[in-house]
Amino acid sequence: MSSGRVSVIVIGASHAGLAFSHKLLRLVPNASVTLINPSSAYYFNIAAPRFLAKPESLPPSKYLFTIRDTFDEYPNGSFAFVAGLVTKIDYSTKTVLVRSEKNVGDESSVSSVAFDYVVIASGSTTPATLGQGSLKLPFKATAFEDTQRAIYEAQEKLRAASRVVIGGAGPLGVELAGELAEAPGPKKVITLISKTDSLLEGATETVQRTAGLLLQRKDVDIVRNVTVDRADQNPVTGNWTIVLSTGQTIAADEYISTTGVIPNNEFIPKSFLDRDGWVNVDQYLRVVENETSRDDTYAVGDITCHPYRLLSRVSLQGAIAAANVSASISRKGYLTTYSSESQKKMMVVPVGQSTGTGHLGGWTLWGCLVWFFKGKDFLTYEAPKFLRGKIQ
Ligand SMILES: Cc1cc2nc3c(=O)[nH]c(=O)nc-3n(C[C@H](O)[C@H](O)[C@H](O)COP(=O)(O)OP(=O)(O)OC[C@H]3O[C@@H](n4cnc5c(N)ncnc54)[C@H](O)[C@@H]3O)c2cc1C
């Protein structure tokens, strides 16, 4: 607690890390927040299905933002941004080790930052983001990769493809199929593979049926009750052969996997993780280690063990963790609890520019409402609010 300020390190500057940081700085004037992230840009990945399939639809200024500028409102000394990747949390010295881009492979130049509290907001990635068994599509930011360049390369590959197979018929698979079906240029042949009889697992029956009908109207071929066993890319032609669980194969110019979530947990002590690699937290969002809650470590967002890994969940988690860190600093006890079940279940899925489907709790959303809330610009109008921690 040097210089009278309480030092709080936040690992990960995406939706959850930003929500927490802003909310804490507003609550605790003597906090000193150090936000650590490999990239200095905030990536509003939610709009990826739209701008990857239709590059002209949204300029980069709508989904890539400079992080530092948004912390100008706080007093000097209360905020620092460190561009780097946390490689270890060292509880014996209460520091985190950070590797900066310049120093890749040079262990002697790894820096350390001291903390009183640490908040883990390192999120998740996907097989497609990493290009594992899929065309590499930046659905999330990747450490030390130029996101803008990765987006441009992905846009070019999608532009050139005439036959695209999408494995996985959750919200991302359905959104991407709808966008690609409307992509400019010659019409693409799009195949969507669903492991069950319906699309959008977990949605109401009406929503599932509507998604199928809307995609069929756009000539998307839906293959049901099948999984992808393997997707092999020919190293010479770049074309894909997709092997289905039925033994059938499909040839495609590009294969996109929209399934799988991988925790960004390489630096997190194993004792914090559940068996799938997510961080155990209690109802106050404190990290749980060997069934005991830690007073100095919290986690928010996708990296936690909470089952719904959604943007719609992170602002509340950020607010609750900030309130509890604030209460811990002022020794007022823990005030606020989080329960993922108390957040309303919703799914809003555009199918192309002008329509879509979804539900809010038990209410089915008409296509025009889906367009209004999300389809018109894929929520990019909300991005500046997420960036500044202004979403409640
Ligand atoms: C394409 C796509 C579309 C989506 N659309 C929706 C939607 O419409 N609605 C919805 O509710 N949800 C949606 N989601 C889910 C949503 O993106 C996630 O719930 C959200 O990104 C979680 O935010 P986060 O901050 O917890 O983690 P992430 O967004 O995963 O960010 C984690 C951050 O931590 C950084 N990081 C990782 N490791 C380290 C480290 N060692 N050191 C420092 N920094 C590190 C990463 O670089 C990244 O910046 C979508 C997901 C995808 C992939």
Side-chain angles (χ1 to χ4, degrees), residues 1 3-7 24-25 27-33 77-78 329:
M1 227 180 275
S3 68
R5 287 187 177 275
V6 181
S7 166
L24 187 76
L25 284 164
L27 279 174
V28 187
N30 71 330
S32 162
V33 170
S78 58
I329 291 170

Side-chain angles (χ1 to χ4, degrees), residues 314-347:
V314 302
S315 295
L316 181 63
Q317 292 181 10
I320 286 175
N324 290 334
V325 171
S326 164
S328 171
I329 291 170
S330 61
R331 300 187 200 288
K332 286 197 182 131
Y334 296 103
L335 300 176
T336 326
T337 59
Y338 177 78
S339 154
S340 59
E341 292 311 316
S342 67
Q343 285 190 279
K344 210 179 218 102
K345 291 207 175 78
M346 60 172 173
M347 196 185 275

Side-chain angles (χ1 to χ4, degrees), residues 14-16 37 45 86 122 124 140 302 309-312 374:
S14 181
H15 321 291
N37 198 65
N45 66 314
V86 170
S122 54
S124 64
K140 291 284 187 100
D302 275 15
R309 297 195 166 82
L310 290 169
L311 175 73
S312 52
K374 189 167 173 189

